[in-house]
Coordinates of all heavy atoms in Angstrom, one line a residue:
M27 N 30.0 -0.3 27.9 CA 30.9 0.4 26.9 C 31.2 -0.6 25.8 O 31.7 -1.7 26.0 CB 32.1 0.8 27.7 CG 33.1 1.6 26.8 SD 34.4 2.3 27.8 CE 33.6 3.7 28.4
E28 N 30.9 -0.2 24.6 CA 31.1 -1.0 23.4 C 32.1 -0.4 22.5 O 32.1 0.7 22.1 CB 29.8 -1.2 22.6 CG 29.9 -2.1 21.5 CD 28.6 -2.3 20.7 OE1 27.5 -2.0 21.3 OE2 28.7 -2.6 19.5
F29 N 33.2 -1.2 22.2 CA 34.2 -0.8 21.4 C 34.0 -1.3 20.0 O 33.5 -2.4 19.8 CB 35.6 -1.3 21.9 CG 35.9 -0.9 23.3 CD1 36.0 -1.8 24.3 CD2 36.0 0.5 23.6 CE1 36.3 -1.4 25.6 CE2 36.3 0.9 24.9 CZ 36.4 0.0 25.9
I30 N 34.3 -0.5 19.0 CA 34.1 -0.8 17.6 C 35.4 -1.1 16.9 O 36.4 -0.3 17.0 CB 33.4 0.3 16.9 CG1 32.0 0.6 17.5 CG2 33.2 0.0 15.4 CD1 31.4 1.9 17.1
Y31 N 35.5 -2.3 16.3 CA 36.7 -2.6 15.5 C 36.7 -1.8 14.2 O 35.7 -1.7 13.5 CB 36.7 -4.1 15.2 CG 37.8 -4.5 14.3 CD1 39.2 -4.6 14.7 CD2 37.6 -4.7 12.9 CE1 40.2 -4.9 13.8 CE2 38.6 -5.0 12.0 CZ 39.9 -5.1 12.5 OH 40.9 -5.4 11.6
K32 N 37.9 -1.3 13.9 CA 38.1 -0.5 12.7 C 39.3 -1.1 12.0 O 40.4 -1.2 12.5 CB 38.4 0.9 13.0 CG 37.3 1.7 13.7 CD 36.2 2.1 12.8 CE 35.2 2.9 13.5 NZ 34.6 3.9 12.8
D33 N 39.1 -1.5 10.7 CA 40.2 -1.9 9.8 C 40.6 -0.7 9.1 O 39.9 -0.1 8.3 CB 39.7 -2.9 8.8 CG 40.8 -3.4 7.9 OD1 41.9 -2.8 7.8 OD2 40.5 -4.4 7.2
K34 N 41.9 -0.2 9.4 CA 42.4 1.0 8.9 C 43.3 0.8 7.7 O 43.9 1.8 7.2 CB 43.1 1.8 10.0 CG 42.2 2.1 11.2 CD 42.6 3.2 12.0 CE 41.6 3.6 13.0 NZ 41.4 5.0 13.2
G35 N 43.3 -0.4 7.2 CA 44.1 -0.7 6.0 C 45.5 -1.0 6.3 O 46.0 -0.6 7.4
N36 N 46.2 -1.6 5.4 CA 47.7 -1.9 5.5 C 48.0 -2.7 6.8 O 49.0 -2.4 7.5 CB 48.5 -0.7 5.4 CG 48.5 -0.1 4.1 OD1 48.4 -0.8 3.1 ND2 48.5 1.3 4.0
N37 N 47.1 -3.6 7.2 CA 47.2 -4.4 8.4 C 47.2 -3.6 9.7 O 47.7 -4.0 10.8 CB 48.5 -5.2 8.4 CG 48.5 -6.2 7.3 OD1 47.5 -6.9 7.0 ND2 49.7 -6.3 6.6
Y38 N 46.6 -2.4 9.6 CA 46.5 -1.5 10.8 C 45.1 -1.6 11.3 O 44.1 -1.4 10.6 CB 46.8 -0.1 10.3 CG 46.8 0.9 11.4 CD1 47.8 0.9 12.4 CD2 45.9 2.0 11.4 CE1 47.8 1.9 13.4 CE2 45.9 3.0 12.3 CZ 46.9 2.9 13.3 OH 46.9 3.9 14.3
G39 N 44.9 -2.0 12.6 CA 43.6 -2.2 13.2 C 43.5 -1.4 14.5 O 44.5 -0.9 15.0
A40 N 42.2 -1.2 14.9 CA 42.0 -0.5 16.1 C 40.6 -0.9 16.7 O 39.7 -1.4 16.0 CB 41.9 1.0 15.8
L41 N 40.5 -0.7 18.0 CA 39.3 -0.7 18.7 C 39.0 0.7 19.2 O 39.9 1.3 19.8 CB 39.3 -1.7 19.9 CG 39.4 -3.1 19.5 CD1 39.6 -4.0 20.8 CD2 38.1 -3.6 18.9
E42 N 37.9 1.2 18.9 CA 37.6 2.6 19.2 C 36.3 2.8 20.0 O 35.4 1.9 19.9 CB 37.4 3.5 18.0 CG 38.7 3.5 17.1 CD 38.5 4.3 15.8 OE1 37.4 4.6 15.5 OE2 39.5 4.5 15.2
Y43 N 36.2 3.8 20.8 CA 35.0 4.2 21.5 C 34.6 5.6 21.2 O 35.5 6.5 21.2 CB 35.2 4.0 23.0 CG 33.9 4.4 23.8 CD1 32.8 3.6 23.7 CD2 33.9 5.5 24.6 CE1 31.6 3.9 24.4 CE2 32.7 5.8 25.3 CZ 31.6 5.0 25.2 OH 30.5 5.3 25.9
E44 N 33.4 5.8 20.7 CA 32.9 7.2 20.4 C 31.9 7.6 21.4 O 31.1 6.9 21.9 CB 32.4 7.2 19.0 CG 33.4 7.0 17.9 CD 32.8 7.1 16.5 OE1 31.6 7.3 16.3 OE2 33.6 7.0 15.6
L45 N 31.9 8.9 21.6 CA 30.9 9.6 22.5 C 30.5 10.8 21.8 O 31.3 11.7 21.4 CB 31.6 9.9 23.8 CG 30.7 10.5 24.9 CD1 29.7 9.4 25.3 CD2 31.6 10.8 26.1
N46 N 29.2 10.9 21.5 CA 28.6 12.1 20.8 C 29.3 12.3 19.4 O 29.6 13.4 19.0 CB 28.7 13.4 21.6 CG 27.9 13.2 22.9 OD1 26.8 12.6 22.9 ND2 28.5 13.8 24.0
G47 N 29.6 11.2 18.7 CA 30.2 11.3 17.4 C 31.7 11.5 17.4 O 32.2 11.7 16.3
Q48 N 32.3 11.6 18.5 CA 33.8 11.8 18.6 C 34.5 10.6 19.2 O 34.0 10.1 20.2 CB 34.1 13.1 19.4 CG 33.6 14.4 18.7 CD 34.6 15.5 19.2 OE1 35.0 15.6 20.3 NE2 34.9 16.4 18.2
R49 N 35.6 10.3 18.6 CA 36.4 9.2 19.1 C 37.1 9.7 20.4 O 37.8 10.7 20.4 CB 37.5 8.8 18.1 CG 38.3 7.6 18.5 CD 39.4 7.2 17.6 NE 40.4 8.2 17.7 CZ 40.9 8.9 16.6 NH1 40.5 8.7 15.4 NH2 41.8 9.8 16.8
V50 N 36.8 9.1 21.5 CA 37.4 9.5 22.8 C 38.3 8.4 23.4 O 38.9 8.7 24.5 CB 36.2 9.9 23.8 CG1 35.5 11.2 23.3 CG2 35.2 8.8 24.0
A51 N 38.4 7.3 22.8 CA 39.3 6.3 23.3 C 39.6 5.3 22.2 O 38.8 5.0 21.3 CB 38.7 5.5 24.5
E52 N 40.9 4.8 22.1 CA 41.3 3.8 21.1 C 42.5 3.1 21.5 O 43.3 3.6 22.3 CB 41.5 4.5 19.8 CG 42.8 5.3 19.7 CD 43.0 5.9 18.3 OE1 42.3 5.5 17.3 OE2 43.9 6.7 18.2
I53 N 42.6 1.9 21.0 CA 43.9 1.1 21.1 C 44.1 0.6 19.7 O 43.2 0.2 19.0 CB 43.8 0.0 22.1 CG1 45.1 -0.7 22.4 CG2 42.7 -1.1 21.7 CD1 45.2 -1.5 23.6
T54 N 45.4 0.8 19.2 CA 45.7 0.5 17.8 C 46.9 -0.5 17.8 O 47.7 -0.7 18.7 CB 46.1 1.7 17.1 OG1 47.3 2.3 17.6 CG2 45.0 2.8 17.1
W55 N 46.9 -1.2 16.6 CA 48.0 -2.2 16.4 C 48.3 -2.3 14.9 O 47.4 -2.0 14.0 CB 47.7 -3.5 17.0 CG 46.4 -4.2 16.4 CD1 46.4 -4.9 15.3 CD2 45.1 -4.0 16.9 NE1 45.1 -5.3 15.0 CE2 44.3 -4.8 16.0 CE3 44.5 -3.3 17.9 CZ2 42.9 -4.9 16.2 CZ3 43.1 -3.4 18.1 CH2 42.3 -4.2 17.3
V56 N 49.4 -2.9 14.6 CA 49.8 -3.3 13.2 C 49.9 -4.8 13.3 O 50.7 -5.4 14.1 CB 51.1 -2.7 12.7 CG1 51.4 -3.2 11.4 CG2 50.9 -1.1 12.7
L57 N 49.2 -5.5 12.4 CA 49.2 -7.0 12.4 C 50.3 -7.5 11.5 O 50.3 -7.1 10.3 CB 47.9 -7.5 12.0 CG 47.7 -9.1 12.0 CD1 47.9 -9.6 13.4 CD2 46.4 -9.4 11.4
R58 N 51.2 -8.3 12.0 CA 52.3 -8.8 11.1 C 52.5 -10.3 11.5 O 52.8 -10.6 12.7 CB 53.6 -8.1 11.4 CG 53.6 -6.7 11.0 CD 54.0 -6.5 9.5 NE 54.1 -5.1 9.1 CZ 53.3 -4.4 8.5 NH1 52.1 -4.9 8.1 NH2 53.5 -3.1 8.2
E59 N 52.3 -11.2 10.6 CA 52.5 -12.6 10.8 C 51.9 -13.1 12.0 O 52.5 -13.9 12.8 CB 54.0 -12.9 10.8 CG 54.7 -12.5 9.5 CD 56.2 -12.7 9.5 OE1 56.7 -13.2 10.5 OE2 56.8 -12.4 8.5
G60 N 50.6 -12.8 12.2 CA 49.8 -13.3 13.4 C 50.1 -12.6 14.7 O 49.7 -13.1 15.7
V61 N 50.9 -11.5 14.7 CA 51.2 -10.8 15.9 C 50.6 -9.4 15.8 O 50.9 -8.6 14.8 CB 52.7 -10.7 16.1 CG1 53.0 -9.9 17.4 CG2 53.3 -12.1 16.3
M62 N 49.8 -9.0 16.8 CA 49.3 -7.6 16.9 C 50.4 -6.8 17.6 O 50.6 -7.0 18.8 CB 48.0 -7.6 17.7 CG 46.9 -8.4 17.0 SD 45.5 -8.7 18.1 CE 44.9 -7.1 18.6
N63 N 51.0 -5.9 16.9 CA 52.0 -5.0 17.5 C 51.3 -3.8 18.1 O 50.9 -2.9 17.3 CB 53.1 -4.6 16.5 CG 53.9 -5.9 16.0 OD1 54.7 -6.4 16.8 ND2 53.6 -6.3 14.8
M64 N 51.1 -3.8 19.4 CA 50.2 -2.8 20.1 C 51.0 -1.5 20.2 O 51.9 -1.4 21.0 CB 49.8 -3.4 21.4 CG 49.2 -4.8 21.4 SD 47.8 -4.9 20.3 CE 46.6 -3.8 21.1
D65 N 50.7 -0.6 19.4 CA 51.5 0.6 19.3 C 50.9 1.9 19.9 O 51.6 2.9 20.0 CB 51.9 0.9 17.8 CG 50.7 1.1 16.9 OD1 49.6 1.1 17.4 OD2 50.9 1.2 15.7
H66 N 49.7 1.9 20.3 CA 49.1 3.2 20.8 C 47.8 2.9 21.6 O 47.0 2.1 21.2 CB 48.8 4.1 19.6 CG 48.2 5.4 20.0 ND1 48.9 6.4 20.6 CD2 46.9 5.9 19.8 CE1 48.0 7.4 20.8 NE2 46.9 7.1 20.3
T67 N 47.7 3.6 22.7 CA 46.5 3.6 23.6 C 46.2 5.0 23.9 O 47.1 5.7 24.3 CB 46.7 2.7 24.9 OG1 47.1 1.4 24.5 CG2 45.4 2.7 25.6
Y68 N 45.0 5.4 23.7 CA 44.5 6.8 23.9 C 43.2 6.8 24.6 O 42.3 6.1 24.3 CB 44.4 7.6 22.6 CG 43.7 8.9 22.8 CD1 44.3 10.0 23.4 CD2 42.3 9.0 22.4 CE1 43.6 11.2 23.6 CE2 41.7 10.2 22.6 CZ 42.3 11.3 23.2 OH 41.6 12.4 23.4
V69 N 43.1 7.6 25.7 CA 41.9 7.8 26.4 C 41.7 9.3 26.6 O 42.6 9.9 27.2 CB 41.8 7.1 27.7 CG1 40.5 7.4 28.5 CG2 41.9 5.6 27.5
S70 N 40.6 9.9 26.2 CA 40.4 11.3 26.4 C 40.2 11.7 27.8 O 39.9 10.9 28.7 CB 39.1 11.7 25.6 OG 38.7 13.0 26.0
D71 N 40.5 12.9 28.1 CA 40.4 13.4 29.5 C 39.0 13.2 30.1 O 38.8 13.0 31.3 CB 40.7 14.9 29.6 CG 42.2 15.2 29.4 OD1 43.0 14.3 29.6 OD2 42.5 16.4 29.0
V72 N 38.0 13.2 29.2 CA 36.6 13.1 29.7 C 36.3 11.7 30.3 O 35.4 11.4 31.0 CB 35.5 13.4 28.6 CG1 35.7 14.8 28.2 CG2 35.6 12.5 27.5
L73 N 37.2 10.7 29.9 CA 37.0 9.3 30.4 C 38.1 8.8 31.3 O 38.0 7.7 31.9 CB 37.0 8.4 29.2 CG 35.9 8.5 28.2 CD1 36.1 7.6 27.0 CD2 34.5 8.3 28.8
R74 N 39.1 9.7 31.6 CA 40.2 9.3 32.4 C 39.7 8.9 33.8 O 38.8 9.5 34.4 CB 41.3 10.4 32.5 CG 41.9 10.6 31.2 CD 43.4 10.3 31.1 NE 43.8 10.2 29.8 CZ 44.6 11.2 29.2 NH1 45.0 12.2 30.0 NH2 45.0 11.1 28.0
G75 N 40.4 7.9 34.4 CA 40.1 7.5 35.8 C 39.0 6.5 35.8 O 38.5 6.1 36.9
Q76 N 38.5 6.0 34.7 CA 37.3 5.1 34.7 C 37.8 3.7 34.2 O 36.9 2.8 34.0 CB 36.3 5.6 33.7 CG 35.7 7.0 34.2 CD 34.6 7.5 33.2 OE1 33.8 6.7 32.7 NE2 34.7 8.8 32.9
G77 N 39.1 3.5 34.1 CA 39.5 2.1 33.7 C 39.3 1.8 32.2 O 39.3 0.7 31.8
V78 N 39.2 2.9 31.4 CA 38.9 2.6 30.0 C 40.1 2.0 29.3 O 39.9 1.1 28.4 CB 38.4 3.9 29.3 CG1 38.2 3.7 27.8 CG2 37.1 4.4 30.0
A79 N 41.3 2.4 29.6 CA 42.4 1.9 28.9 C 42.5 0.4 29.1 O 42.8 -0.4 28.2 CB 43.7 2.6 29.4
K80 N 42.3 -0.1 30.4 CA 42.3 -1.5 30.7 C 41.2 -2.2 29.9 O 41.4 -3.3 29.4 CB 42.1 -1.8 32.2 CG 42.2 -3.2 32.5 CD 42.0 -3.5 34.0 CE 42.2 -5.0 34.3 NZ 41.6 -5.9 33.4
K81 N 40.0 -1.6 29.8 CA 38.9 -2.2 29.1 C 39.2 -2.4 27.6 O 38.9 -3.4 27.0 CB 37.6 -1.4 29.3 CG 37.0 -1.4 30.7 CD 35.9 -0.5 30.8 CE 35.4 -0.5 32.3 NZ 34.4 0.6 32.5
L82 N 39.9 -1.4 27.1 CA 40.4 -1.4 25.7 C 41.4 -2.6 25.5 O 41.3 -3.4 24.6 CB 41.1 -0.1 25.2 CG 40.2 1.0 24.8 CD1 41.0 2.3 24.8 CD2 39.5 0.7 23.5
L83 N 42.3 -2.7 26.4 CA 43.3 -3.7 26.3 C 42.7 -5.1 26.5 O 43.0 -6.0 25.8 CB 44.4 -3.5 27.4 CG 45.5 -4.6 27.4 CD1 46.2 -4.8 26.0 CD2 46.6 -4.2 28.4
D84 N 41.8 -5.2 27.4 CA 41.0 -6.5 27.6 C 40.3 -6.9 26.3 O 40.3 -8.0 25.9 CB 40.1 -6.4 28.7 CG 40.8 -6.4 30.1 OD1 42.0 -6.7 30.2 OD2 40.1 -6.1 31.1
A85 N 39.7 -5.9 25.7 CA 38.9 -6.2 24.4 C 39.9 -6.6 23.3 O 39.6 -7.5 22.5 CB 38.1 -5.0 24.0
A86 N 41.0 -5.9 23.2 CA 42.0 -6.3 22.2 C 42.6 -7.7 22.5 O 42.8 -8.4 21.5 CB 43.2 -5.2 22.2
A87 N 42.8 -8.0 23.7 CA 43.2 -9.4 24.1 C 42.2 -10.4 23.7 O 42.5 -11.5 23.1 CB 43.6 -9.5 25.6
D88 N 40.9 -10.1 23.9 CA 39.8 -11.0 23.5 C 39.8 -11.2 22.0 O 39.7 -12.3 21.4 CB 38.5 -10.5 24.0 CG 38.3 -10.6 25.5 OD1 39.0 -11.4 26.1 OD2 37.4 -10.0 26.0
Y89 N 40.1 -10.0 21.3 CA 40.1 -10.1 19.8 C 41.3 -11.0 19.4 O 41.1 -11.8 18.4 CB 40.3 -8.7 19.2 CG 40.4 -8.6 17.8 CD1 39.3 -8.6 16.9 CD2 41.7 -8.5 17.1 CE1 39.4 -8.5 15.6 CE2 41.8 -8.4 15.7 CZ 40.6 -8.5 15.0 OH 40.7 -8.4 13.6
A90 N 42.4 -10.8 20.0 CA 43.6 -11.7 19.7 C 43.3 -13.2 19.9 O 43.6 -14.0 19.1 CB 44.8 -11.3 20.5
R91 N 42.6 -13.5 21.0 CA 42.3 -14.9 21.3 C 41.3 -15.4 20.3 O 41.5 -16.6 19.8 CB 41.6 -14.9 22.7 CG 42.6 -14.7 23.9 CD 42.0 -14.7 25.2 NE 42.9 -14.4 26.3 CZ 42.9 -13.2 26.9 NH1 41.9 -12.3 26.7 NH2 43.8 -13.0 27.9
E92 N 40.3 -14.6 19.9 CA 39.3 -15.1 19.0 C 39.9 -15.4 17.6 O 39.4 -16.2 16.9 CB 38.2 -14.0 18.8 CG 37.3 -13.9 20.1 CD 36.5 -12.6 20.0 OE1 36.4 -11.9 19.0 OE2 35.9 -12.3 21.1
N93 N 41.0 -14.7 17.3 CA 41.6 -14.8 16.0 C 42.9 -15.6 16.0 O 43.7 -15.6 15.0 CB 41.8 -13.4 15.4 CG 40.5 -12.8 15.0 OD1 39.9 -13.1 14.0 ND2 40.0 -11.9 15.9
N94 N 43.3 -16.2 17.1 CA 44.5 -16.9 17.3 C 45.7 -16.1 17.0 O 46.7 -16.5 16.4 CB 44.5 -18.2 16.5 CG 43.5 -19.2 16.9 OD1 43.3 -19.4 18.1 ND2 42.7 -19.7 16.0
Y95 N 45.7 -14.8 17.5 CA 46.8 -13.9 17.3 C 47.6 -13.8 18.7 O 47.1 -14.1 19.7 CB 46.4 -12.5 17.0 CG 45.7 -12.3 15.6 CD1 44.7 -11.4 15.4 CD2 46.1 -13.1 14.5 CE1 44.1 -11.2 14.2 CE2 45.4 -13.0 13.3 CZ 44.5 -12.0 13.1 OH 43.8 -11.9 11.9
K96 N 48.8 -13.3 18.6 CA 49.6 -13.0 19.7 C 49.7 -11.5 19.8 O 49.4 -10.8 18.8 CB 51.0 -13.6 19.7 CG 51.0 -15.1 19.8 CD 50.6 -15.5 21.2 CE 50.7 -17.0 21.3 NZ 50.2 -17.5 22.7
M97 N 50.1 -10.9 20.9 CA 50.2 -9.5 21.1 C 51.7 -9.1 21.5 O 52.2 -9.7 22.4 CB 49.3 -9.0 22.1 CG 47.8 -9.2 21.8 SD 46.7 -8.8 23.1 CE 46.6 -7.1 23.0
N98 N 52.2 -8.1 20.8 CA 53.5 -7.6 21.2 C 53.4 -6.2 21.7 O 52.8 -5.3 21.1 CB 54.4 -7.6 19.9 CG 55.8 -7.0 20.2 OD1 56.3 -7.2 21.2 ND2 56.3 -6.3 19.2
A99 N 53.8 -6.0 23.0 CA 53.6 -4.7 23.6 C 54.7 -3.7 23.2 O 55.9 -4.0 23.3 CB 53.7 -4.9 25.1
I100 N 54.2 -2.6 22.6 CA 55.1 -1.6 22.1 C 54.8 -0.3 22.9 O 55.6 0.4 23.5 CB 55.0 -1.3 20.6 CG1 55.5 -2.6 19.9 CG2 55.8 -0.1 20.2 CD1 55.3 -2.5 18.4
C101 N 53.5 0.1 23.0 CA 53.1 1.3 23.7 C 53.3 1.1 25.2 O 53.2 0.0 25.7 CB 51.7 1.8 23.3 SG 50.4 1.2 24.4
S102 N 53.6 2.2 25.8 CA 54.0 2.1 27.3 C 52.9 1.6 28.1 O 53.1 0.8 29.1 CB 54.4 3.5 27.8 OG 53.4 4.4 27.6
Y103 N 51.6 1.9 27.8 CA 50.5 1.3 28.6 C 50.5 -0.2 28.5 O 50.3 -0.9 29.5 CB 49.2 1.9 28.2 CG 48.1 1.3 29.0 CD1 47.8 1.8 30.3 CD2 47.3 0.3 28.5 CE1 46.9 1.2 31.1 CE2 46.3 -0.3 29.3 CZ 46.1 0.1 30.6 OH 45.1 -0.5 31.4
V104 N 50.6 -0.7 27.3 CA 50.5 -2.2 27.2 C 51.7 -2.8 27.8 O 51.6 -3.9 28.5 CB 50.3 -2.6 25.7 CG1 50.3 -4.1 25.5 CG2 49.1 -1.9 25.1
V105 N 52.9 -2.3 27.6 CA 54.1 -2.8 28.2 C 53.9 -2.9 29.8 O 54.1 -4.0 30.4 CB 55.3 -1.9 27.9 CG1 56.5 -2.3 28.8 CG2 55.7 -2.0 26.5
S106 N 53.4 -1.8 30.4 CA 53.2 -1.8 31.8 C 52.2 -2.8 32.2 O 52.4 -3.5 33.2 CB 52.8 -0.4 32.2 OG 52.5 -0.3 33.6
S107 N 51.1 -2.9 31.5 CA 50.0 -3.8 31.8 C 50.5 -5.3 31.7 O 50.1 -6.1 32.6 CB 48.8 -3.6 30.9 OG 48.3 -2.3 31.1
F108 N 51.3 -5.6 30.7 CA 51.8 -6.9 30.6 C 52.7 -7.3 31.7 O 52.7 -8.4 32.2 CB 52.5 -7.1 29.2 CG 51.6 -7.3 28.0 CD1 50.3 -7.2 28.1 CD2 52.2 -7.7 26.8 CE1 49.4 -7.5 27.0 CE2 51.4 -8.0 25.7 CZ 50.0 -7.9 25.8
Q109 N 53.5 -6.3 32.2 CA 54.4 -6.6 33.3 C 53.7 -6.8 34.6 O 54.1 -7.6 35.5 CB 55.4 -5.4 33.4 CG 56.4 -5.4 32.3 CD 57.2 -4.1 32.3 OE1 57.0 -3.2 33.1 NE2 58.3 -4.1 31.5
K110 N 52.5 -6.1 34.8 CA 51.8 -6.1 36.1 C 50.8 -7.2 36.2 O 50.4 -7.6 37.4 CB 51.0 -4.8 36.2 CG 51.9 -3.6 36.4 CD 51.0 -2.3 36.5 CE 51.9 -1.1 36.6 NZ 51.0 0.1 36.6
S111 N 50.4 -7.8 35.2 CA 49.4 -8.8 35.2 C 49.7 -10.1 34.4 O 50.3 -9.9 33.3 CB 48.0 -8.2 34.7 OG 47.0 -9.2 34.7
D112 N 49.3 -11.2 34.9 CA 49.5 -12.4 34.1 C 48.2 -12.8 33.3 O 48.2 -13.8 32.6 CB 49.9 -13.6 35.0 CG 48.8 -13.9 36.1 OD1 47.7 -13.2 36.1 OD2 49.0 -14.9 36.9
A113 N 47.2 -11.9 33.3 CA 46.0 -12.1 32.6 C 46.2 -12.2 31.1 O 45.3 -12.7 30.3 CB 45.0 -11.0 32.9
Y114 N 47.3 -11.7 30.6 CA 47.6 -11.6 29.2 C 48.7 -12.6 28.7 O 49.1 -12.6 27.6 CB 48.0 -10.2 28.8 CG 47.0 -9.2 29.3 CD1 47.4 -8.3 30.4 CD2 45.8 -9.0 28.7 CE1 46.5 -7.4 30.8 CE2 44.9 -8.0 29.2 CZ 45.2 -7.2 30.2 OH 44.4 -6.3 30.7
D115 N 49.1 -13.5 29.6 CA 50.2 -14.4 29.3 C 49.9 -15.3 28.1 O 50.8 -15.6 27.4 CB 50.5 -15.2 30.6 CG 51.3 -14.5 31.6 OD1 51.7 -13.3 31.4 OD2 51.5 -15.1 32.7
D116 N 48.7 -15.6 27.9 CA 48.3 -16.5 26.8 C 48.4 -15.8 25.5 O 48.5 -16.5 24.4 CB 46.9 -17.1 27.0 CG 45.8 -16.1 27.0 OD1 46.0 -15.0 27.6 OD2 44.8 -16.3 26.4
V117 N 48.4 -14.5 25.4 CA 48.5 -13.8 24.1 C 49.8 -13.0 24.0 O 50.1 -12.6 22.9 CB 47.3 -12.8 24.0 CG1 46.0 -13.6 23.8 CG2 47.2 -11.8 25.1
K118 N 50.6 -13.0 25.0 CA 51.9 -12.3 24.9 C 52.9 -13.0 24.0 O 52.9 -14.3 23.9 CB 52.6 -12.1 26.2 CG 52.0 -11.1 27.1 CD 52.8 -10.7 28.3 CE 53.0 -11.7 29.3 NZ 53.7 -11.2 30.5
V119 N 53.7 -12.3 23.2 CA 54.7 -12.9 22.3 C 55.8 -13.4 23.2 O 56.2 -12.8 24.2 CB 55.3 -11.9 21.4 CG1 56.4 -12.5 20.6 CG2 54.2 -11.3 20.5

């Protein structure tokens, strides 16, 4: 599964996954002063139960590491994931 980075302007970024030309999964953030404010995670019903949200978060964390950013959990999925796992401790604000 390959996620595509999208620069949506105004410091708004996303990682997206498309299937048959339609966006079926995404994680989005607003970048402010080196912090990715993780504000939304979406996975279509056609992909639910396959661990796609975690794969998106892992890819976003890798993006943060590669760019020396930190991540601030705002959306409920990221908040919950940060609480449940120490895998993201190096990028958490």
Side-chain angles (χ1 to χ4, degrees):
M27 182 169 281
E28 184 178 337
F29 302 115
I30 299 167
Y31 171 76
K32 299 280 181 144
D33 181 347
K34 302 203 174 221
N36 295 324
N37 296 318
Y38 185 63
L41 289 172
E42 299 179 348
Y43 180 69
E44 291 185 359
L45 187 62
N46 299 322
Q48 290 210 320
R49 186 184 69 234
V50 292
E52 72 177 351
I53 190 165
T54 64
W55 62 86
V56 177
L57 182 65
R58 296 273 187 256
E59 298 178 3
V61 176
M62 295 166 62
N63 294 289
M64 310 304 296
D65 59 4
H66 179 69
T67 305
Y68 166 75
V69 178
S70 168
D71 289 340
V72 300
L73 297 175
R74 295 246 167 107
Q76 299 178 39
V78 175
K80 182 180 182 324
K81 291 175 187 173
L82 279 166
L83 179 54
D84 288 347
D88 288 343
Y89 179 83
R91 290 178 185 109
E92 290 166 9
N93 291 282
N94 296 313
Y95 296 148
K96 293 292 184 181
M97 298 172 78
N98 179 32
I100 296 172
C101 94
S102 59
Y103 177 78
V104 178
V105 168
S106 175
S107 296
F108 278 12
Q109 290 172 348
K110 292 177 184 176
S111 175
D112 60 1
Y114 309 105
D115 284 356
D116 63 317
V117 292
K118 288 195 291 190
V119 176

